[in-house]
Amino acid sequence: MSHSTVTELPDAVVAGLTAGTLAPYLGPGLLSLCEGVVPPADALALAGVLTTKVSVPGKIRNRLTAAAQFIENFKHRKSLVKAMDEAFALSAEPSPLHRWLATLPSPLVVDCWYDDTLRLALAQVGRTGWTEVQGLSQSEHFGTWTGGYDASGTPSPDPVEAPLLYYKPWGGRAPASNYLVSDSDFVEVLTEIDIQTPIPAQVQQRRATLGFVFLGCRFNDQLPRAFARQILKRSGGPHYAVMADEPTRMEARFLDELGITRIALPLAEVAAKLVAAQPVAA
């Protein structure tokens, strides 16, 4: 299987998103669309924020998961959670694309970063009837892979009936400071992810008829590749990724492996075209 590259936004992407047959898969790059001050918008920036609060050896200072592991080992898990909370304490103002995405009829949205921007957008557009599922750290919730929450942030153990399932596999600051961020956090999940144990049953059910559109995602690290590969497993397709920059060798191989069509346009340009598309009723 190989990927193709297009230099125009395919009509099928707009049609699929507005019809709910394509699901948004969001990454930290989406924060680049927000005006004003935003929380850390990539792993390197987040590592920089964490290591200004806690002294970390120079050789791992720029490696997020290793720096987080050092803080967890030599301070305490609570110190790591506190540092993450502080890093994401400032909420970004949702962009027009965030608000547009919040109105879509897709039964599933995947969001692989720790900010609460889309959660705020869902509130801004008055969206109801959605449930959030977040990945949980085994160091804090041993034996339980995910936690569910309703729109108000109240724990909701069974989100299967919600029209929209908002899935944050790495956790997030809101509503309960759940984070997969240290080496051990990810090792625990990656040990089981091939057999799909950490992926909620509701996600597995809903993806079967869906394709995914990657927005603000890069795959130049094994962690985003590993999660995307397993979340897309047995999904309906087709899949697209907005990626203006030429992919790295590993990214190209990943796109080939999953048959993802690369949309070689700047995210801001795609965002403007999507927001200008037929509005969706919330």
Side-chain angles (χ1 to χ4, degrees):
M1 190 180 285
S2 64
H3 81 278
S4 59
T5 298
V6 297
T7 55
E8 294 290 335
L9 179 63
D11 291 341
V13 171
V14 180
L17 286 169
T18 54
T21 58
L22 291 178
Y25 191 120
L26 314 179
L30 215 60
L31 285 166
S32 68
L33 302 176
C34 299
E35 294 187 357
V37 182
V38 298
D42 59 46
L44 183 61
L46 179 53
V49 170
L50 296 183
T51 57
T52 59
K53 300 176 185 300
V54 179
S55 181
V56 169
K59 64 182 180 180
I60 62 170
R61 192 171 294 143
N62 293 329
R63 291 166 44 207
L64 174 60
T65 60
Q69 189 67 54
F70 182 90
I71 295 169
E72 184 172 334
N73 288 351
F74 290 93
K75 295 294 183 179
H76 194 276
R77 177 73 189 186
K78 289 178 180 175
S79 299
L80 175 59
V81 171
K82 182 173 182 284
M84 287 290 289
D85 279 349
E86 291 172 354
F88 289 92
L90 183 68
S91 297
E93 175 59 31
S95 70
L97 181 63
H98 283 93
R99 291 192 293 273
W100 186 83
L101 292 169
T103 69
L104 295 178
S106 171
L108 178 65
V109 173
V110 180
D111 184 355
C112 253
W113 199 236
Y114 309 102
D115 61 296
D116 58 3
T117 319
L118 189 66
R119 173 177 263 274
L120 292 175
L122 288 162
Q124 287 182 358
V125 302
R127 188 72 179 266
T128 58
W130 60 276
T131 303
E132 186 169 352
V133 178
Q134 296 188 350
L136 299 178
S137 167
Q138 292 302 290
S139 68
E140 295 176 290
H141 304 273
F142 184 74
T144 304
W145 295 103
T146 57
Y149 306 89
D150 67 16
S152 71
T154 303
S156 173
D158 186 17
V160 71
E161 297 303 324
L164 169 61
L165 186 63
Y166 177 36
Y167 176 38
K168 290 180 74 80
W170 293 5
R173 185 181 187 279
S177 301
N178 297 317
Y179 302 110
L180 268 63
V181 64
S182 67
D183 281 338
S184 59
D185 288 339
F186 284 114
V187 166
E188 294 280 0
V189 173
L190 293 175
T191 300
E192 298 284 336
I193 202 167
D194 281 353
I195 57 172
Q196 300 280 291
T197 308
I199 297 178
Q202 302 92 332
V203 172
Q204 297 184 43
Q205 291 159 8
R206 294 176 187 222
R207 71 185 175 192
T209 57
L210 295 171
F212 288 90
V213 180
F214 293 93
L215 298 164
C217 299
R218 291 301 300 258
F219 304 103
N220 49 3
D221 182 88
Q222 65 169 337
L223 285 177
R225 291 196 300 269
F227 276 79
R229 184 180 290 118
Q230 296 302 329
I231 290 169
L232 266 61
K233 186 179 282 187
R234 292 187 284 275
S235 59
H239 309 304
Y240 302 87
V242 176
M243 193 182 296
D245 296 337
E246 197 66 27
T248 65
R249 183 177 60 86
M250 292 304 293
E251 285 180 309
R253 182 183 295 179
F254 171 80
L255 296 174
D256 288 346
E257 175 193 342
L258 295 186
I260 298 170
T261 297
R262 174 180 164 235
I263 302 171
L265 292 172
L267 180 60
E269 183 178 331
V270 172
K273 290 181 177 181
L274 290 174
V275 171
Q278 182 67 31
V280 182

